Amino acid sequence: MKLTLKVWRQKSASDKGRMESYTLDNVSGHMSFLEMMDVLNEQLISERKEPVAFDHDCREGICGMCSMHINGEPHGPDRGVTTCQLHMRKFNDGDTIYIEPFRAKGFPVIKDLVVDRSAFDRIQHAGGFISVNTSGNTQDANAIPVPKHDADKAFDAATCIGCGACVAACKNASAMLFVSAKVSQFALLPQGKVEAKRRVLNMVEQMDKEGFGNCTNTGACEVECPKGISLENIARMNREYLKASLSSE
Amino acid sequence: MALSALFLLIFLLQHFAINITSVFRADTFNELSHFMGTNPIVQYVFQPILIFGVIFHFTMGFILEVRNKQSRDIRYVKYNGNANASWFSRNMIWSGLAILAFLGLHFVDFWVPEINTKFIEGNWEGTMAGIEGLRYHTELVHKFENPVRVAAYCIAFVFLAMHLLHGFTSSFQSLGANNKYTRGALRKFAVAYSILIPAGFIIIALYHHFNIH
């Protein structure tokens, strides 16, 4: 198929940036979106032009690196997939595809489609961990009984790959789904109880510092999340936050 | 924001419960209105709380909107908001502004004359020259004579329904009272409340308008 691509080009973080138009012939429906981007870059290199910079790593939907906003949606029009899992068969011959970086104050553009998502790392550092006694008397985690329901919920929350699609989709650029998934995966398990109060307070505080918006519960994040992280996690984090705010240390 | 929303949801239900009696029995509406208008707890405790709740709710709404706009300093060239969220949920500020404009009209129509009668003129009897018995039902019916006012009321309540369709469940979600067990039932109740209550207010306005003519 023949496609017209409108791609965001930005030389550096300080550059203003603009949309540029490219025409690409012979795109196969079997290609992944990133393979299509590879073909575009080969074409640009053969024309002695600067290739488009974009993030990618595993190309199997588990690393959370790919971060394109395609035709107005993070990771494109398909559901439950990352950009690398999006196939070109989702598009039609003659389509015009808009490709932009994830937009948020907390995700500044580094170059072209590459954004700095280290804000997520700093939120994790603020509380996304548990303390374990490593003196040699560490209790085997498998020896601690955990209700099946709680374990399932914790594992569901832990499937968050931190890609940032929730932020990109949200009209407020809110990171609540990401932070709530990270809070929930520990809040549901006995190992996470020790730092429960500090964790939620510190992670929410860091989220606000990074410039992400407030959640207005539109649910766009849940729809666009490639891992299907549920809004239930946001409700759980709100409960944890209220509980932590109202109780004394 | 969520707490003030829940408070206003309860107030709205109470307001509707009293107003709907005007359709069935004028005396009941008069007695209830007189009680609400003269009871010191309602006047000096609940009324200031209500005014504070309304002002707090829309002020926080504006602050939230401004802060959230700042969180995305560069907008998308193409943004397909309809693909993942309802129009109602993305435009709470606009439905809220429409409701705020209606509140202005509502205050001029009912609240300001009521305050004037009681606190300026000093008439706490609920009477009016030329009217036998209590005045509230006659005043209400008179207000709905004007078709332009009735149309404005109807449009405002459509905006209220839009606001509630998202706001009801959103307030529970913000307070953490939303999980897989309550989500379905809460959604159904929210949709019923959000449509039936504003529709009920529209029916009251239309009933009085057409009952006169």
Side-chain angles (χ1 to χ4, degrees):
Chain A
M1 60 181 118
K2 184 178 180 177
L3 298 170
T4 302
L5 304 177
K6 293 199 179 285
V7 185
W8 182 260
R9 302 305 308 265
Q10 186 173 334
K11 284 187 179 127
S12 64
S14 57
D15 181 31
K16 203 177 167 203
R18 74 256 161 237
M19 294 298 278
E20 279 191 14
S21 198
Y22 306 103
T23 304
L24 207 57
D25 291 318
N26 300 321
V27 174
S28 163
H30 300 303
M31 282 179 180
S32 76
F33 201 87
L34 294 189
E35 285 169 336
M36 184 276 294
M37 291 300 292
D38 291 338
V39 172
L40 170 67
N41 276 347
E42 282 167 14
Q43 182 178 301
L44 289 173
I45 290 165
S46 69
E47 292 168 0
R48 298 190 176 281
K49 289 179 182 165
E50 179 81 8
V52 179
F54 62 90
D55 264 330
H56 61 105
D57 192 5
C58 74
R59 297 206 176 199
E60 53 183 325
I62 55 173
C63 73
M65 276 305 284
C66 44
S67 60
M68 292 177 199
H69 203 258
I70 302 159
N71 275 351
E73 291 178 77
H75 299 307
D78 212 354
R79 293 286 173 256
V81 295
T82 51
T83 301
C84 62
Q85 294 171 303
L86 176 67
H87 281 88
M88 295 313 295
R89 65 180 76 99
K90 284 283 167 185
F91 301 92
N92 300 311
D93 185 37
D95 275 0
T96 297
I97 305 175
Y98 287 78
I99 309 167
E100 297 173 77
F102 283 180
R103 294 277 187 211
K105 198 175 166 187
F107 288 167
V109 173
I110 298 171
K111 185 178 180 181
D112 294 337
L113 304 173
V114 181
V115 294
D116 179 1
R117 284 170 285 178
S118 58
F120 273 12
D121 297 335
R122 291 188 289 276
I123 293 170
Q124 278 283 66
H125 295 167
F129 52 82
I130 57 165
S131 297
V132 176
N133 183 348
T134 54
S135 63
N137 300 316
T138 312
Q139 188 178 4
D140 187 335
N142 290 325
I144 304 170
V146 179
K148 175 77 166 66
H149 176 263
D150 290 351
D152 287 346
K153 291 279 177 197
F155 272 88
D156 285 346
T159 58
C160 169
I161 53 176
C163 65
C166 46
V167 174
C170 178
K171 80 177 187 70
N172 311 320
S174 170
M176 286 280 275
L177 194 68
F178 165 77
V179 181
S180 70
K182 299 303 170 193
V183 166
S184 288
Q185 74 184 57
F186 296 122
L188 287 158
L189 299 176
Q191 291 92 335
K193 299 292 181 200
V194 182
E195 295 95 350
K197 184 181 168 180
R198 267 185 295 149
R199 177 181 303 114
V200 68
L201 293 176
N202 291 346
M203 289 180 84
V204 169
E205 187 188 353
Q206 188 63 37
M207 174 180 76
D208 290 339
K209 272 187 200 164
E210 298 291 348
F212 294 110
N214 298 287
C215 179
T216 53
N217 305 314
T218 66
C221 53
E222 184 186 54
V223 174
E224 297 292 353
C225 176
K227 298 298 161 188
I229 302 294
S230 166
L231 285 178
E232 269 182 53
N233 291 297
I234 296 182
R236 183 178 297 107
M237 185 173 81
N238 289 340
R239 284 197 296 277
E240 291 280 319
Y241 187 84
L242 281 171
K243 211 163 57 180
S245 303
L246 295 173
S247 65
S248 56
E249 185 66 60
Chain B
M1 195 69 187
L3 284 173
S4 59
L6 287 178
F7 170 71
L8 294 173
L9 282 168
I10 294 166
F11 163 73
L12 197 65
L13 188 64
Q14 169 264 317
H15 194 341
F16 174 73
I18 292 176
N19 279 25
I20 195 71
T21 62
S22 70
V23 171
F24 301 111
R25 213 174 127 81
D27 287 348
T28 310
F29 178 75
N30 275 334
E31 284 162 21
L32 288 169
S33 300
H34 190 63
F35 171 78
M36 297 297 284
T38 54
N39 185 281
I41 296 173
V42 175
Q43 286 296 302
Y44 301 115
V45 179
F46 291 143
Q47 187 165 252
I49 292 174
L50 174 64
I51 292 169
F52 173 77
V54 170
I55 293 171
F56 179 83
H57 191 72
F58 73 71
T59 305
M60 289 304 288
F62 287 137
I63 293 170
L64 194 64
E65 183 70 16
V66 170
R67 284 183 61 178
N68 286 343
K69 280 269 182 286
Q70 289 168 346
S71 299
R72 179 167 288 133
D73 36 11
I74 301 170
R75 323 299 299 173
Y76 287 112
V77 174
K78 192 175 173 73
Y79 182 67
N80 188 8
N82 285 325
N84 47 41
S86 69
W87 188 92
F88 310 132
S89 68
R90 290 181 288 116
N91 293 283
M92 290 294 274
I93 188 69
W94 297 113
S95 55
L97 278 170
I99 295 163
L100 189 59
F102 164 74
L103 274 181
L105 173 69
H106 196 55
F107 263 51
V108 170
D109 270 357
F110 292 101
W111 192 78
V112 173
E114 196 63 24
I115 292 294
N116 182 55
T117 304
K118 286 186 297 205
F119 292 94
I120 310 292
E121 294 174 4
N123 177 7
W124 288 76
E125 302 303 314
T127 55
M128 196 165 74
I131 294 171
E132 195 179 326
L134 295 168
R135 61 182 159 83
Y136 307 102
H137 191 269
T138 309
E139 283 178 342
L140 176 83
V141 170
H142 173 69
K143 290 290 178 196
F144 290 124
E145 271 183 49
N146 185 343
V148 177
R149 181 182 278 113
V150 172
Y153 268 62
C154 292
I155 292 166
F157 280 112
V158 170
F159 277 105
L160 179 66
M162 289 177 181
H163 203 72
L164 293 176
L165 275 168
H166 176 66
F168 195 111
T169 49
S170 180
S171 57
F172 279 87
Q173 169 79 2
S174 292
L175 291 170
N178 199 9
N179 56 47
K180 79 167 186 179
Y181 304 109
T182 58
R183 202 171 180 177
L186 189 67
R187 182 77 206 146
K188 281 179 194 157
F189 184 75
V191 169
Y193 182 101
S194 309
I195 292 171
L196 292 177
I197 299 294
F201 277 110
I202 290 173
I203 288 167
I204 293 168
L206 292 175
Y207 173 82
H208 290 303
H209 179 70
F210 289 111
N211 209 30
I212 298 166
H213 295 90

